[in-house]
Every structure is written in C-alpha cells, then in structure tokens.
Amino acid sequence: MTTIASGTDTLTRDALTVLQPGFPGTTAPDWLLRRLGEGLASVGLFGRNIASPDQLAALTAQLRTERDDVLVAIDEEGGDVTRLEVRTGSSFPGNHALGAVDDVSLTLEVAAELGRRLARCGVNLNWAPSADVNSNPANPVIGVRSFGPDPALVARHTAAYVTGLQSAGVAACTKHFPGHGDTAVDSHHALPRIDADPAVLTERELTPFRAAIAAGTRAVMSAHILVPALDPARPATLSPRILTTLLREELGYDGLIVTDGMEMQAVAATYGIERGSVLAVAAGADAICVGGGLADDETVRRLRDALVTAVRTGELPEQRLADAAERVRALARWTAARSTAAVGTGTGTGTAGRPDVGLIAARRALRLTGDDVFSPLTDPPYVAALTPVANIAVGDETPWGVAAELVRLLPGTETGSFAGAEAGHAALAAAGERRIVAVVRDEHRHPWMGAALDILLTARPDTVVVEMGVPQAPPRGALHIATHGAARVCGRAAAEVIAAGTTA
C-alpha cells in the first residue's frame, strides 16, 4: 500500500496527483521518487527512457517500490509513433494501415498484443488510440496516425482498439478530443483552428469519440486546438464548454481527462504552462501531461505551486482539484485490479496471443499498383529515401523505410537520403546503374518530393515507388506500393514484395 510522506497536506497532495510529468534517463531520478512519496500518482515515459523491454520492466518496478499504484503512461501508438521500439521501428503497423485493412477483429488483436507487451513492461496507461478523422490531407501532424478520413471507419476501429488494449489491463487514452484531423497546423508549434460548423463536428469529429466512450475508454486526451463553433475564445484543453459541457455532460463521459503536453506551443506560447495548467483543471481536465520537453523537478514544483495558489486565491475551486485527483486515483485502482486479475486467471496480460500479428497486419495493408508483369528484384538495388522533416510526435530518431529489410533480403543493397530541389538529380547520380527503389512519405504534401519522382521516373521508368505515408498522390512507377505507414513491419512487408514478389 502506498504511504504518503508525512507533512504533505491534502491540497498539495492533490496538486501533485493531477500531474503526469516526464523525466530524463533510463532509471528514476531521486526527485521523482521523492515526489511519488509526496503524492505524485503518474509518470509519463518517452523514447529517452527506454533501452530494452527488460530495462523498462526494471524501471517501472523501481517506480512501484515507491508507490505501488503509480500510473505509468506512454505514447505508444504503434506505427510511426513508437516509444517501445524508438530505435528500431515498431513491430506493429499504425492506425492508417489497420484502417486500410478494415478488419475490426484484426485491429482488436493488434491492440491486445501491443497491450500485453506494455503490461509485461509494467506500463498501464497508453496515450492511444488516435480517434482523429484525417479529413484534411494537408494535416502535418495526424496523417497515418488516423485510421482514415471516414468517420464511421474511424469509429469502429477506435472502439476495437480500446477494447483490445484494455483487455490486457492497459487503460486506453483516446485522443485528441474533440478531433485534430481537420487541421493544417501542428499544435506542437502553434495553435491550430478548425472552422467546421456544429453539424459537421457532430457527425465527423465526435463520432469516433462517442464510439470510444461506448467501448469504455478509461481516459480521453484533449487537443490544443481552437474550435470557434464550440468555443471561440479558448482551445479545447482550456475550455469548460468543450471538456465539461460537451464531453462530460452531452457525451456522458465520466473517465479521466488528460491534457496533451502542456509544453506544446499551442498553449505554452500563449498562456504559459502554469496558467495553462490551472485553466485546464478548471475547465474539467483531471491530469496534466507535461514532460515531452520539460522533464525536471523544477517543472513539477512550479505546476504544483501554481495549482495550490489558484485554489487559495479562489481561481480554481478546491473541489474541482479534489475531483480531478480522485479520478486519477480511480484509474490507478482500475489498472491495479486488472493487472491482478490477469495474473490470477492467466488471461489478459498472461495470454500469449500472436506475437507476429503486427507483421500479418502490415502485409494485409499493402496496396500494389503498376506493371502486371513486375518481376521481383534479384540484384541489390539502390534505395533512394526522399526524406521529409519528421513531425515532433513521430520524432526523427526512429528509423523508417525499406532499406534495412532489402539489405537482409538482397545483400549489397545501398541507400541514400535526399531532400529538397536537387533530390531527384542527386539520387540518380548516386544510384548509378542500379535499379532504383524510391521511398517517399506523404508525397502529396511535399512538392519537392513529387518533382524528384518526376526526374527519377523520366530517366528510369523501371523505378519502384514505395509510399509510406498517406497515399494521396496518384500511384506511379513500375510498381507502386502503398504501405499506409512507416513502421518497421511496413517496410518489411514492402521489401518482401520487392525482393520476393509475395505478400505472405
């Protein structure tokens, strides 16, 4: 049983309880362990905290020596956004690939297997799935993180994902409420705006969230987006109209509401993280996610003190803070009970599942277009990766593409990364006489990428094109492979076709 340090008053304890901070390193720093003893109830993990499954399990065990009911959260969507496999690429395709297959039983199975892997490492809250409807093809931050552009499809796969993940005893956190799909700005950098009318929002953005709530999602993450039809003044994370009136009262949701990272510029640049956190809790949020970029004790202290001061000055009702803290503790009790039940019955986290279900799903997600007489390559090709700048959610440390898998299948394969106006000519020069495999990511969003493909295909019509983002541009090349995501398993599935001609 967790023991709170003596001398920690209820108000201070509640203020710590609603924080979900990150931290540096692969072991827990002393300040974090001390804060857990004072009332901190959650931590957030990122790629910087993870070296291997065994190390992660040891880290979460270390946290639980200080507080046995701690919520250990992670941003593990699978696909392009992975923290478990940040250095190798994910063993699971992301949402867009699962939506392309459109088999809800497969989505459930993938989420359950991912949940089992998280649970075995001691993680019990996943900031996933993304329930955003990717209705704007120019969206720079959602894209393949979405199941697709159709609200009904997104809804059924969101529900299946929630069910699968939670069957393993890991709480799902459906995001980004009320929907981040129709944006052209990344909220890591600035405040996006959605100008849809209420009827469109109801039928498009909110449909997947209604499905997630019906499926029993234990948490919902708010979006740092301005939706004037709902609240013309404040972004969703800070809006009582959106978090309390809409989500709580109109949609009937009573679980945990978590904010997106408060250090993101959509909030931090306008309100600051201290005032933003106070406004978020006052609006109806229960947990403040912070630590993607800010990960130290000073940040925790500043946010704790800001919440305590806001209560003492009357800006934040004490009961609102107490209710938020109790929802955090309630979720901790739920995860603890599910973990105990799974161990005791041999179900959930103890179920073997199909460890290769991610690769199976990635193979099924492939869409091939091109020459009907395409012959698999027998000689090692040159892989020209036309590489855009990765968004912050994905990160630039996770490898992507097909080169590593083609090297395994066709030893001697060479590769290069290209970007910008001269990418096409540079790739041609580097390839020499080798067959070219051009790998792109969201060609439709990057004019330079389309121009590079024009150059490659004019000079070398036998070029194979692999699209690892949203396949919005017309397919072209001797063979065009749409993987619907850039996870490692997506690259492997594409490489199998290029080198073996099969999608087993």
Side-chain angles (χ1 to χ4, degrees):
M1 182 64 66
T2 300
T3 302
I4 302 299
S6 60
T8 305
D9 63 80
T10 299
L11 177 57
T12 301
R13 184 172 70 247
D14 285 350
L16 280 171
T17 297
V18 303
L19 301 181
Q20 284 190 354
F23 59 94
T26 54
T27 59
D30 290 343
W31 67 262
L32 182 67
L33 298 175
R34 183 179 71 255
R35 294 301 186 192
L36 288 170
E38 295 171 353
L40 187 71
S42 308
V43 298
L45 300 180
F46 298 86
R48 61 175 180 251
N49 304 121
I50 300 169
S52 70
D54 288 344
Q55 169 271 323
L56 178 55
L59 170 58
T60 59
Q62 181 189 17
L63 296 172
R64 290 192 170 91
T65 61
E66 193 61 48
R67 180 169 186 141
D68 56 10
D69 65 345
V70 64
L71 285 171
V72 181
I74 197 169
D75 195 7
E76 181 57 52
E77 300 176 14
D80 291 33
V81 180
T82 180
R83 310 306 178 212
L84 282 181
E85 300 177 277
V86 66
R87 293 170 183 82
T88 61
S90 182
S91 301
F92 301 92
N95 285 1
H96 206 60
L98 295 172
V101 177
D102 196 13
D103 178 345
V104 293
S105 63
L106 180 66
T107 295
L108 189 151
E109 188 177 3
V110 167
E113 179 60 29
L114 178 58
R116 281 187 285 268
R117 295 194 191 185
L118 291 172
R120 284 196 293 268
C121 294
V123 176
N124 54 13
L125 172 60
N126 191 10
W127 293 320
S130 167
D132 306 298
V133 178
N134 198 54
S135 56
N136 184 349
N139 196 312
V141 68
I142 301 301
V144 294
R145 301 168 67 196
S146 166
F147 289 110
D150 176 58
L153 179 144
V154 176
R156 60 180 173 266
H157 287 279
T158 296
Y161 198 105
V162 167
T163 300
L165 190 63
Q166 294 186 167
S167 73
V170 176
C173 182
T174 305
K175 61 188 184 185
H176 306 81
F177 187 82
H180 208 312
D182 190 19
T183 59
V185 172
D186 184 344
S187 52
H188 290 89
H189 301 298
L191 179 62
R193 176 185 175 114
I194 294 180
D195 284 312
D197 62 43
V200 170
L201 293 169
T202 296
E203 294 304 315
R204 188 179 65 187
E205 270 71 21
L206 298 184
T207 293
F209 289 97
R210 286 194 293 267
I213 293 167
T217 187
R218 307 305 300 189
V220 168
M221 178 177 281
S222 66
H224 302 331
I225 58 175
L226 188 67
V227 189
L230 301 177
D231 187 332
R234 288 185 177 176
T237 294
L238 314 183
S239 169
R241 167 71 186 92
I242 293 174
L243 296 190
T244 298
T245 304
L246 176 58
L247 182 54
R248 292 274 186 229
E249 297 171 6
E250 296 178 14
L251 297 184
Y253 175 67
D254 193 40
L256 188 77
I257 298 177
V258 184
T259 72
D260 207 344
M262 294 302 290
E263 70 274 23
M264 294 164 63
Q265 292 302 297
V267 169
T270 304
Y271 297 89
I273 63 168
E274 293 97 333
R275 177 151 178 77
S277 296
V278 169
L279 292 174
V281 175
D286 305 304
I288 302 297
C289 175
V290 63
L294 300 170
D296 54 28
D297 190 40
E298 175 63 15
T299 299
V300 171
R301 184 194 63 75
R302 286 164 52 201
L303 296 182
R304 178 203 65 189
D305 291 351
L307 292 167
V308 169
T309 298
V311 169
R312 289 176 175 164
T313 60
E315 183 180 9
L316 174 63
E318 185 170 5
Q319 189 59 51
R320 169 78 277 273
L321 180 61
D323 289 345
E326 177 51 33
R327 279 201 177 90
V328 174
R329 297 181 191 115
L331 182 57
R333 291 192 294 270
W334 182 89
T335 58
R338 296 301 292 260
S339 177
T340 300
V343 171
T345 63
T347 60
T349 56
T351 303
R354 283 197 295 175
D356 62 345
V357 68
L359 179 57
I360 292 168
R363 288 167 173 162
R364 290 183 61 186
L366 295 183
R367 298 294 179 267
L368 312 181
T369 308
D371 192 338
D372 291 338
V373 296
F374 173 80
S375 297
L377 277 59
T378 55
D379 295 325
Y382 187 86
V383 179
L386 304 182
T387 307
V389 175
N391 70 59
I392 291 177
V394 173
D396 58 10
E397 69 270 45
T398 302
W400 69 284
V402 301
E405 293 297 333
L406 280 175
V407 167
R408 182 177 62 84
L409 297 172
L410 296 171
T413 294
E414 295 183 3
T415 187
S417 180
F418 306 91
E422 296 302 315
H425 293 296
L428 274 176
E433 297 302 313
R434 290 174 178 255
R435 183 79 174 269
I436 297 174
V437 176
V439 186
V440 298
R441 204 170 184 175
D442 291 337
E443 179 198 341
H444 67 284
R445 292 200 304 110
H446 303 285
W448 68 265
M449 199 178 289
L453 282 183
D454 289 342
I455 292 168
L456 290 175
L457 290 167
T458 298
R460 305 285 288 276
D462 63 350
T463 293
V464 174
V465 178
V466 183
E467 170 61 86
M468 303 195 79
V470 177
Q472 190 75 20
R476 50 185 173 155
L479 176 66
H480 185 278
I481 305 175
T483 63
H484 300 91
R488 175 170 52 84
V489 286
C490 297
R492 177 174 173 181
E496 289 172 346
V497 173
I498 295 168
T502 62
T503 54

